[in-house]
Amino acid sequence: MVRPSGQLSPQATPGRMASRRRQAGCKLKPPWFDYHAPESLEAALELLDNAGYDGRVLAGGQSLMPMLNMRIVNPSVLVDINRIEGLDTLEAGPDQLRVGALVRHADLLRDPAIREGWPLLAEATTQVAHPTIRNRGTVCGSVSHNDPAAEHPGILVTHGGSVVIASTKGQRKVPAEAFFDGMMSTTLDPGEMVIELRYPRPPRGAGHGFVEFARRLGDFAIAGAAVLLTVENGVCETARLTIIGMGDGPLRARAAEELMAGSALTQQNSGEIFTAAAQDVMAALDPADDVHASASYRRHLAGVMTQRALEAALARVGDQ
Amino acid sequence: MSREKTIQVTVNRVAYEKTVSVRRSLADFIREDLHQTGTHLGCEHGVCGACTVSMNGRSIRSCLTLAVQADGAEITTIEGLREEDGTLHPIQEAFHQNFALQCGYCTPGFLITAIEFLKENPDPTERQVREALSGNLCRCTGYQAIVDAVMSAAGTEMPDRA
Ligand SMILES: Cc1cc2nc3c(=O)[nH]c(=O)nc-3n(C[C@H](O)[C@H](O)[C@H](O)COP(=O)(O)OP(=O)(O)OC[C@H]3O[C@@H](n4cnc5c(N)ncnc54)[C@H](O)[C@@H]3O)c2cc1C
Ligand code: FES
Ligand code: FES
């Protein structure tokens, strides 16, 4: 139902909506809401609990504000979390990376520990929007929003990461794959918010690959593939492969993963295996036609992206 | 009420205290309440970059920020770039020298974006400049002159005005 920002139907262009507003003599774009900027997590959770279905978290605003300006969403309570202390944890530990709710895309890119330990995450983040958007937009916001073309949901799935959720009732931790629940939808309940993402450290010597196709630099991807690969003595030990931009959210390509894991994998035979993996991916996909790409073009792109991401990952195996 | 709020905000080195509707965008606040119309609105959903301003030293989209979110912040817009005596900011000078604007609608956003980029990347490649400017649209120039201007300003000292 909700369309990603920057991807609008011809019926709902901002220009037309603005002219309607001008006719109505109204200079405010978003619908009415009560605005709260609590300074503690407890206060925020209390507000979200009271608001129930009518409440929304305002993080970076880089997806929510466009939706409000276009009146695609209509929350009656906005809980701005930007003034809460302690939500900006960005901690690269020996086993896992913790990313708090106020960590911006740009913060990830500035941290050398992430480039080194989670290079797949760092590389994908360079493809998220543009520098100015990355200054404000948060990683947790992107994951909560679950735009099918967004990078972060797929990267979290590829790492086998998890989502830490808080409400007045306490906290729970959900594996990434169980968190995403269809187009722009998650298993977050009313009153809950995401407070942290956890990315396990990829195995030593893992190779990573991330490739996406977008019309212009910084646009949402039409198709993309993320890969983490480990190879020991010419045999593929583990393969994680996620496709983005294709269905209702990040898609883990299990058939292709199973095909690769345990099979001999060298520079010599990789072409054959990667082609087979790409075919598995294409067979598993059921994309729809839309204004950006036809279904068959999308499926074709997914195959090409898969192959390129796998090649990039194999070339980097053992690099660390 | 949580539908209006009094905010204190410094815009181009002048401190203001104003009561605003909580759903007023920072862009509309700057343009309509402060009457500083150099910040332009193209798309109002984050795509064109014309409304880019600097908040606490970081470029942001003023169309995607609420005025109330700027409470306590320091904002610099195009009006704050030149010195009080009228001397242009080096990046303005570079745009002038390189004919990097035609109608000028996109220029304020390009300038703020370019300043932030050059502060962090004093010696960029052309490719990096194009990447950095990818979130700003210009319908007139074809971008080449803008890229030339940013390349030519690279390495000059950036005053701390944005
Ligand atoms: C021009 C443009 C280009 C873009 N290009 C891309 C791109 O290429 N790839 C991409 O991935 N994204 C892109 N984006 C979106 C951007 O990445 C957003 O930053 C991101 O999708 C949302 O993060 P946010 O912090 O801004 O969230 P907000 O806009 O504040 O919120 C988005 C949604 O998530 C909810 N939410 C936010 N934080 C939480 C939380 N902690 N707990 C529970 N719910 C929460 C909000 O209630 C809202 O429903 C683009 C945006 C723009 C304007
Ligand atoms: S008006 Fe803000 S980005 Fe276009
Ligand atoms: S100079 Fe006219 S839009 Fe850029």
Side-chain angles (χ1 to χ4, degrees):
Chain A
M1 183 200 73
V2 184
R3 278 183 211 89
S5 64
Q7 307 186 356
L8 283 173
S9 74
Q11 289 76 31
T13 62
R16 277 200 202 179
M17 300 183 69
S19 77
R20 206 169 311 144
R21 271 191 322 261
R22 269 192 297 275
Q23 283 160 13
C26 170
K27 284 188 179 148
L28 296 157
K29 282 99 198 172
W32 269 121
F33 49 76
D34 283 333
Y35 171 86
H36 301 274
E39 288 179 7
S40 74
L41 180 61
E42 291 69 37
L45 294 175
E46 198 67 44
L47 287 160
L48 285 172
D49 190 57
N50 290 336
Y53 279 102
D54 292 329
R56 284 248 183 184
V57 171
L58 172 61
Q62 303 303 293
S63 294
L64 184 52
M65 288 310 302
M67 293 193 297
L68 285 169
N69 284 350
M70 296 171 208
R71 304 203 171 192
I72 294 170
V73 294
N74 192 4
S76 56
V77 176
L78 273 198
V79 181
D80 180 350
I81 61 173
N82 286 280
R83 292 183 195 266
I84 300 178
E85 297 248 340
L87 283 186
D88 56 354
T89 308
L90 181 56
E91 190 189 286
D95 305 323
Q96 64 176 359
L97 171 70
R98 297 171 53 206
V99 178
L102 283 179
V103 172
R104 324 269 169 184
H105 307 303
D107 298 331
L108 285 190
L109 290 178
R110 267 188 227 108
D111 192 332
I114 293 171
R115 276 200 300 279
E116 208 183 293
W118 289 264
L120 174 64
L121 175 60
E123 189 172 332
T125 306
T126 65
Q127 308 281 312
V128 177
H130 316 283
T132 302
I133 307 286
R134 293 198 293 261
N135 278 343
R136 291 291 288 175
T138 64
V139 187
C140 287
S142 193
V143 163
S144 307
H145 187 55
N146 192 21
D147 186 307
E151 288 82 3
H152 282 303
I155 298 302
L156 189 66
V157 167
T158 311
H159 279 93
S162 52
V163 182
V164 183
I165 297 168
S167 71
T168 50
K169 292 174 205 76
Q171 293 191 6
R172 63 189 180 107
K173 198 174 103 183
V174 180
E177 277 178 273
F179 180 74
F180 301 112
D181 187 31
M183 169 91 68
M184 294 185 135
S185 169
T186 67
T187 51
L188 271 185
D189 282 328
E192 287 188 322
M193 69 175 262
V194 173
I195 54 167
E196 194 174 299
L197 304 173
R198 298 203 178 144
Y199 299 77
R201 189 181 276 275
R204 262 193 98 71
H208 71 279
F210 180 76
V211 188
E212 73 171 39
F213 180 80
R215 280 292 166 81
R216 287 160 304 208
L217 211 61
D219 274 12
F220 279 98
I222 291 179
V227 173
L228 279 176
L229 208 60
T230 54
V231 180
E232 199 67 54
N233 303 321
V235 174
C236 174
E237 284 201 313
T238 56
R240 295 281 296 209
L241 169 60
T242 311
I243 308 298
I244 63 165
M246 206 49 68
D248 287 349
L251 288 171
R252 218 180 127 187
R254 282 179 194 280
E257 286 181 2
E258 279 161 24
L259 172 99
M260 288 183 285
S263 63
L265 186 57
T266 60
Q267 289 293 352
Q268 285 72 41
N269 77 345
S270 64
E272 210 176 300
I273 296 199
F274 291 168
T275 306
Q279 267 155 4
D280 274 352
V281 164
M282 292 195 292
L285 292 173
D286 185 21
D289 288 319
D290 64 25
V291 292
H292 303 285
S294 67
S296 63
Y297 178 53
R298 269 219 156 85
R299 185 180 292 117
H300 168 78
L301 268 181
V304 176
M305 296 298 111
T306 299
Q307 239 164 326
R308 288 188 190 164
L310 286 168
E311 280 158 17
L314 183 61
R316 285 164 171 153
V317 160
D319 249 10
Q320 285 175 340
Chain B
M1 264 310 280
S2 47
R3 289 189 166 188
E4 273 196 349
K5 210 177 155 213
T6 301
I7 59 169
Q8 290 170 330
V9 50
T10 303
V11 179
N12 299 325
R13 301 182 286 274
V14 179
Y16 297 89
E17 184 172 298
K18 295 243 177 205
T19 301
V20 292
S21 162
V22 296
R23 55 184 184 141
R24 196 153 195 65
S25 74
L26 179 59
D28 287 345
F29 173 75
I30 292 169
R31 287 177 55 83
E32 298 188 16
D33 295 347
L34 304 185
H35 308 293
Q36 303 200 19
T37 51
T39 298
H40 294 161
L41 284 167
C43 67
E44 303 189 50
H45 66 290
V47 176
C48 75
C51 70
T52 307
V53 302
S54 169
M55 181 160 98
N56 298 331
R58 291 263 160 232
S59 71
I60 61 157
R61 296 286 202 245
S62 62
C63 72
L64 299 186
T65 307
L66 296 168
V68 285
Q69 293 188 285
D71 190 14
E74 238 175 86
I75 310 273
T76 304
T77 70
I78 178 87
E79 284 93 343
L81 287 189
R82 59 172 191 183
E83 278 172 46
E84 253 126 62
D85 68 2
T87 312
L88 293 182
H89 189 286
I91 191 83
Q92 289 176 302
E93 194 57 43
F95 268 59
H96 182 178
Q97 294 301 329
N98 287 277
F99 302 96
L101 58 147
Q102 289 179 26
C103 78
Y105 201 85
C106 66
T107 313
F110 269 102
L111 296 180
I112 300 283
T113 310
I115 290 169
E116 179 183 46
F117 170 70
L118 287 178
K119 277 186 180 168
E120 291 190 349
N121 304 274
D123 185 23
T125 62
E126 186 182 319
R127 167 91 199 155
Q128 287 172 318
V129 170
R130 286 186 184 273
E131 264 180 47
L133 300 179
S134 66
N136 293 72
L137 301 183
C138 173
R139 302 314 300 268
C140 302
T141 63
Y143 301 101
Q144 189 56 49
I146 297 179
V147 174
D148 291 345
V150 175
M151 289 297 284
S152 80
T156 46
E157 201 175 320
M158 292 285 136
D160 230 6
R161 290 198 293 276

